[in-house]
Amino acid sequence: MTTRTRELKWIEGHVTAARGFLATGIHCGIKKKKPDLALIMSEVPASAAGMFTTNKVKAAPVRYCEKVIESGAARAIVVNAGNANACTGAQGLRDAEEMAAITARELNVTPAEVLVASTGVIGMTLPMDKLRAGIPAAARALWESGEGAELAIMTTDAFPKTAAARVDIDGVTITIGGMCKGAGMIHPNMATMLCFLTTDAHVPPDALRQALGRAVAVSFNSITVDGDTSTNDTVILLANGRAGGQSLESGPAYEAFIDALTCVSQELAKKVVRDGEGASKLVEITVEGAKNDEEAKRGALSIAHSPLVKTMMYGAEPNWGRILMALGKAGIDMDEEKTEVYFGPIQMFKDGLPMRFDWDAAVALMKQPDVQVRARIGVGGGSWTVWTCDFNEEYVRINGSYVT
Amino acid sequence: MTTRTRELKWIEGHVTAARGFLATGIHCGIKKKKPDLALIMSEVPASAAGMFTTNKVKAAPVRYCEKVIESGAARAIVVNAGNANACTGAQGLRDAEEMAAITARELNVTPAEVLVASTGVIGMTLPMDKLRAGIPAAARALWESGEGAELAIMTTDAFPKTAAARVDIDGVTITIGGMCKGAGMIHPNMATMLCFLTTDAHVPPDALRQALGRAVAVSFNSITVDGDTSTNDTVILLANGRAGGQSLESGPAYEAFIDALTCVSQELAKKVVRDGEGASKLVEITVEGAKNDEEAKRGALSIAHSPLVKTMMYGAEPNWGRILMALGKAGIDMDEEKTEVYFGPIQMFKDGLPMRFDWDAAVALMKQPDVQVRARIGVGGGSWTVWTCDFNEEYVRINGSYVT
């Protein structure tokens, strides 16, 4: 999972950074005052790939998109915040379809070219009157202002999350941009991670799907705030080919595209972790020497999910035993006698025995906004990195009294 | 997992309630002031069964016991608190063996008849000088006073945990008693759940092992405070046959014994949950209508492990969507359109749609010290019940600043 970033150039911008994409965000009245409706559009037909929540309880827009995206093509995405359209039965699916139909009519595309995403409260049907008026207004704004899409998808987010980068592939400059929302599955009634990525690279649908799968595995699927999964989680990638150049489907050029897509995805994913409710730091956890990458990931996630590890990160005390405990319960092959644990550069455990280390230096290291933990478990060549945040009183305060 | 309790009579007492068992607890100096060394002994040879942590990182006494208990027989258990003898390499195993050898000498049994358990700080070798003096002192106390064993195994426990009951099986009165310690894996440096059960029933080793497996599955393996597993978790059951009567190995009499053992185990397990760090309530979670019991258990544990569910229980707000979210992410078969969610008697979700319910009544119900959650997921006949506690600021406070 090494990512080659040497050719990557970060730029300002987000989902409209690549050529031929428009986006906007407006207020249509689902929320009281804040922007709550976004549109994203490609000026020309685009390849489309999507990945959706693995939660068995899937929101209506997720069920809708899973079907529509099978064609591998899309032109537009309509997104509302404030209402998740989840646990809303058959009416929910009809509402998602109507959102697509209105968007198609206003943007002069076919309904099958429109994807839909929702985020917000679970268990209430959408206020369709507001969307029936709002989507045409958003379509007008798309041509006129084309701003604020990244704000109109936010729910409990403390800040908008965007990233964009350029990379030269065989003399052609490719741009990849994106925006996302989410602060962990911290408010199940106002939850969800949504990410929209666009690129002007020329990538056919099958290759696009594979590229997205690989990028998401080491970015959005390698972060955790609290181990909970929303009913609405969605990542969509559109590629409209406006950059010109060869079709990217295999070989070094295709790998370079995946590398760049991975970098942008990781940048966005880390922003979600930093915005974890009450989070005061980003914790990077790497497990090496596992039987394979899959087991390394399970070990790293076991550490990242442990409330004991997360509260330790908050308290900034190097109780390395919690790392061993979390590895041990992951159900993966490990050789305790060959296991090593590091916090940053400081080694704390070696050959099955604790080491003397500078406690104060380790505490100082853990008080930084970025903390690295690395464990080598001595059985093979598998490795994986995940990102999480600390866990503190703020999370409990917010989630213990959500409605009142 | 229905438990027949009609013939069970709760009595005062614990690990010495059954005929022919002695126990004591003393202070030997591993801890500064509190009791830290316990002995349990059967006056006659006994069948023995044990279950140990599934954590791959196993403490030395666990490795020792796993080997010794294969014989199916034991006479004595020596337990220290204050030091877990975990992550201590080859020296740790030698120290566990020496604890058994000293105990055997003092109690006039063979070392192979002595089981060893430890709980406390990880990563420090045992202060063997204190144990070399302490174990003989404990052996003297065993004959003289025989008190306080339940106190000498405590670490972060807020209260000692004991239970004992009698049951008539074919005219013979059987007693089962036990003591345990643990408040969830809340202090990985001072952690562990230990449970010691004794009975005067006559049960051969294989049948005893099977009985303990069944009782632990629906008691200690169905509770969770924070999803973390200690390196030292141990449950040991000794059966010395002093009650007389037939050998219990199959049929209704054996099932009656397992029922009683299950009741005592569940009583002790629930005390561990009530003592979960900062816990203000005991939450019972039942999943019904699963494909099988295994999937029901996975669904129930997914709910019980969710920080969102646990903080909701603390905040006493009936955000039923969190139950659906946790079920959905459990990776089990469920039919959302047939799913029902209840908090106590109040139904909140039916046929894939939210129901109107009395919010204030639900809040009042959630403020009780015991809360029941029940979900029916509409695919089969599997069911399981687990117990957990709420999750609040106190947990973060304690675990965020353990050492300082």
Side-chain angles (χ1 to χ4, degrees):
Chain A
M1 54 170 297
T2 315
T3 304
R4 288 161 283 165
T5 56
R6 58 184 186 278
E7 297 145 357
L8 199 81
K9 191 182 163 213
W10 293 104
I11 59 171
E12 284 295 306
H14 57 104
V15 82
T16 54
R19 272 155 290 192
F21 287 100
L22 302 168
T24 197
I26 67 159
H27 174 249
C28 81
I30 302 174
K31 289 179 165 190
K32 270 185 196 148
K33 286 185 178 170
K34 293 183 177 167
D36 52 15
L37 181 62
L39 284 181
I40 303 165
M41 190 191 178
S42 172
E43 292 171 350
V44 295
S47 299
M51 294 185 70
F52 304 95
T53 184
T54 56
N55 198 304
K56 290 274 174 76
V57 179
K58 290 182 203 300
V62 167
R63 297 186 202 190
Y64 169 82
C65 283
E66 283 182 334
K67 206 171 52 184
V68 168
I69 209 156
E70 281 175 16
S71 70
R75 285 285 295 274
I77 309 170
V78 56
V79 191
N80 75 275
N83 183 316
N85 193 8
C87 301
T88 46
Q91 183 61 45
L93 201 54
R94 283 194 294 273
D95 289 345
E97 286 165 354
E98 187 180 347
M99 282 176 71
I102 299 170
T103 304
R105 186 189 71 211
E106 295 298 319
L107 300 182
N108 201 23
V109 300
T110 68
E113 290 176 302
V114 180
L115 298 166
V116 180
S118 299
T119 176
V121 180
I122 286 179
M124 287 172 57
T125 51
L126 283 172
M128 286 306 294
D129 52 331
K130 286 170 181 159
L131 287 160
R132 284 181 199 116
I135 295 172
R140 287 190 297 276
L142 191 66
W143 313 114
E144 289 161 14
S145 68
E147 284 183 345
E150 72 278 20
L151 302 174
I153 63 172
M154 289 166 65
T155 54
T156 55
D157 301 64
F159 53 86
K161 299 168 186 73
T162 62
R166 292 222 166 98
V167 63
D168 254 43
I169 299 178
D170 295 340
V172 178
T173 302
I174 300 293
T175 302
I176 300 171
M179 62 181 190
C180 71
K181 60 96 28 182
M185 174 61 181
I186 47 142
H187 280 176
N189 294 359
M190 286 277 281
T192 291
M193 200 286 297
L194 299 181
C195 177
F196 306 104
L197 294 156
T198 56
T199 178
D200 45 22
H202 178 27
V203 192
D206 281 350
L208 196 70
R209 212 172 282 132
Q210 196 197 322
L212 184 64
R214 282 176 53 188
V216 167
V218 297
S219 58
F220 295 106
N221 281 346
S222 290
I223 59 171
T224 173
V225 171
D226 53 18
D228 283 332
T229 316
S230 127
T231 50
N232 292 55
D233 291 345
T234 296
V235 181
I236 291 170
L237 168 60
L238 301 182
N240 67 7
R242 283 288 298 275
Q246 61 173 315
S247 171
L248 304 173
E249 19 193 330
S250 64
Y254 179 56
E255 293 298 322
F257 169 71
I258 293 177
D259 283 353
L261 180 66
T262 299
C263 286
V264 173
S265 301
Q266 285 179 338
E267 189 66 19
L268 288 168
K270 286 192 219 174
K271 288 187 180 181
V272 172
V273 177
R274 280 201 201 276
D275 200 4
E277 208 54 65
S280 69
K281 64 193 73 182
L282 179 72
V283 184
E284 182 174 292
I285 297 161
T286 301
V287 171
E288 299 171 347
K291 197 168 78 179
N292 51 43
D293 287 356
E294 172 58 33
E295 292 215 345
K297 184 175 184 179
R298 258 163 61 202
L301 282 175
S302 179
I303 296 169
H305 284 154
S306 164
L308 286 165
V309 171
K310 293 162 79 72
T311 48
M312 167 179 74
M313 289 300 166
Y314 171 60
E317 289 188 354
N319 299 317
W320 53 267
R322 302 189 187 191
I323 305 296
L324 277 180
M325 173 280 299
L327 279 168
K329 72 165 179 160
I332 60 173
D333 269 4
M334 63 182 288
D335 183 342
E336 190 183 332
E337 313 254 306
K338 288 186 190 160
T339 293
E340 302 179 354
V341 176
Y342 298 81
F343 282 30
I346 305 174
Q347 187 167 9
M348 300 180 180
F349 192 73
K350 187 185 177 181
D351 301 337
L353 292 169
M355 293 179 69
R356 285 181 191 279
F357 64 90
D358 183 340
W359 183 271
D360 293 339
V363 168
L365 183 143
M366 290 179 73
K367 286 186 173 162
Q368 301 299 311
D370 286 74
V371 178
Q372 278 90 39
V373 173
R374 192 159 60 94
R376 314 192 62 169
I377 59 177
V379 292
S383 72
W384 204 272
T385 297
V386 305
W387 295 271
T388 190
C389 56
D390 58 324
F391 199 12
N392 56 43
E393 289 97 338
E394 188 64 14
Y395 178 95
V396 176
R397 237 185 323 268
I398 291 163
N399 288 293
S401 55
Y402 166 60
V403 177
T404 50
Chain B
M1 58 172 293
T2 314
T3 304
R4 286 162 284 164
T5 55
R6 59 184 184 278
E7 296 146 356
L8 199 81
K9 192 184 163 210
W10 293 104
I11 58 172
E12 284 295 307
H14 57 104
V15 82
T16 54
R19 272 155 287 192
F21 287 99
L22 302 168
T24 198
I26 67 158
H27 173 250
C28 82
I30 302 174
K31 290 180 164 189
K32 269 185 197 148
K33 285 187 178 171
K34 292 184 178 169
D36 51 14
L37 181 62
L39 284 181
I40 302 166
M41 188 189 179
S42 171
E43 292 170 349
V44 295
S47 298
M51 293 185 71
F52 304 95
T53 185
T54 56
N55 199 304
K56 289 275 173 77
V57 179
K58 291 182 204 296
V62 167
R63 296 185 202 190
Y64 169 82
C65 283
E66 284 181 334
K67 205 171 52 183
V68 167
I69 210 158
E70 280 174 16
S71 70
R75 283 287 295 274
I77 310 170
V78 56
V79 191
N80 76 274
N83 184 316
N85 192 9
C87 301
T88 46
Q91 184 62 46
L93 201 55
R94 283 194 294 272
D95 290 345
E97 286 165 354
E98 187 180 345
M99 281 176 72
I102 300 170
T103 305
R105 186 189 71 209
E106 295 297 320
L107 300 183
N108 201 22
V109 300
T110 70
E113 291 176 303
V114 180
L115 297 166
V116 181
S118 299
T119 176
V121 180
I122 287 178
M124 289 174 57
T125 51
L126 282 171
M128 286 306 294
D129 52 331
K130 286 171 181 161
L131 286 161
R132 284 180 199 118
I135 295 172
R140 286 190 297 275
L142 190 67
W143 312 116
E144 288 162 13
S145 69
E147 284 184 347
E150 72 279 19
L151 301 174
I153 62 172
M154 289 166 67
T155 54
T156 58
D157 302 65
F159 53 86
K161 299 169 185 71
T162 62
R166 292 219 167 101
V167 62
D168 254 44
I169 299 178
D170 295 340
V172 177
T173 300
I174 300 293
T175 302
I176 300 172
M179 63 181 189
C180 71
K181 61 96 28 181
M185 175 61 180
I186 46 142
H187 279 176
N189 294 1
M190 285 276 281
T192 291
M193 200 287 297
L194 299 180
C195 177
F196 306 103
L197 294 157
T198 56
T199 179
D200 45 23
H202 176 27
V203 191
D206 281 350
L208 196 70
R209 212 171 282 130
Q210 197 198 320
L212 184 63
R214 283 176 53 188
V216 167
V218 296
S219 58
F220 296 106
N221 281 346
S222 289
I223 58 171
T224 173
V225 171
D226 52 18
D228 284 333
T229 315
S230 128
T231 51
N232 293 54
D233 291 345
T234 295
V235 181
I236 291 171
L237 168 59
L238 302 183
N240 68 6
R242 283 289 298 274
Q246 59 174 315
S247 171
L248 304 173
E249 21 193 329
S250 63
Y254 180 56
E255 292 299 322
F257 169 71
I258 293 178
D259 283 352
L261 180 65
T262 300
C263 286
V264 173
S265 300
Q266 285 180 338
E267 190 65 19
L268 289 167
K270 286 193 221 175
K271 288 186 180 181
V272 172
V273 176
R274 279 198 201 278
D275 200 5
E277 207 55 63
S280 69
K281 66 193 72 180
L282 178 72
V283 184
E284 182 174 292
I285 297 161
T286 301
V287 171
E288 300 172 345
K291 197 167 79 177
N292 50 43
D293 287 355
E294 173 57 33
E295 292 216 343
K297 184 175 183 179
R298 259 161 64 203
L301 283 175
S302 180
I303 296 170
H305 284 153
S306 164
L308 286 167
V309 171
K310 293 161 79 73
T311 49
M312 166 179 76
M313 289 300 167
Y314 171 60
E317 289 188 353
N319 300 314
W320 53 267
R322 303 187 185 191
I323 304 296
L324 277 180
M325 172 280 300
L327 280 169
K329 71 164 181 162
I332 59 172
D333 270 3
M334 63 183 288
D335 183 342
E336 191 183 331
E337 313 254 306
K338 288 186 191 161
T339 294
E340 303 178 355
V341 176
Y342 298 81
F343 281 31
I346 304 174
Q347 187 167 10
M348 299 180 181
F349 192 74
K350 187 184 177 182
D351 301 337
L353 291 170
M355 292 179 71
R356 288 180 189 280
F357 64 89
D358 184 338
W359 183 271
D360 293 339
V363 169
L365 184 142
M366 292 178 73
K367 286 187 172 161
Q368 301 299 314
D370 286 74
V371 178
Q372 278 90 38
V373 173
R374 190 159 60 95
R376 312 191 63 168
I377 60 177
V379 292
S383 72
W384 203 271
T385 297
V386 305
W387 294 271
T388 190
C389 57
D390 58 325
F391 199 11
N392 55 45
E393 289 97 337
E394 188 65 13
Y395 179 94
V396 175
R397 236 183 325 267
I398 292 163
N399 288 292
S401 56
Y402 166 60
V403 176
T404 51

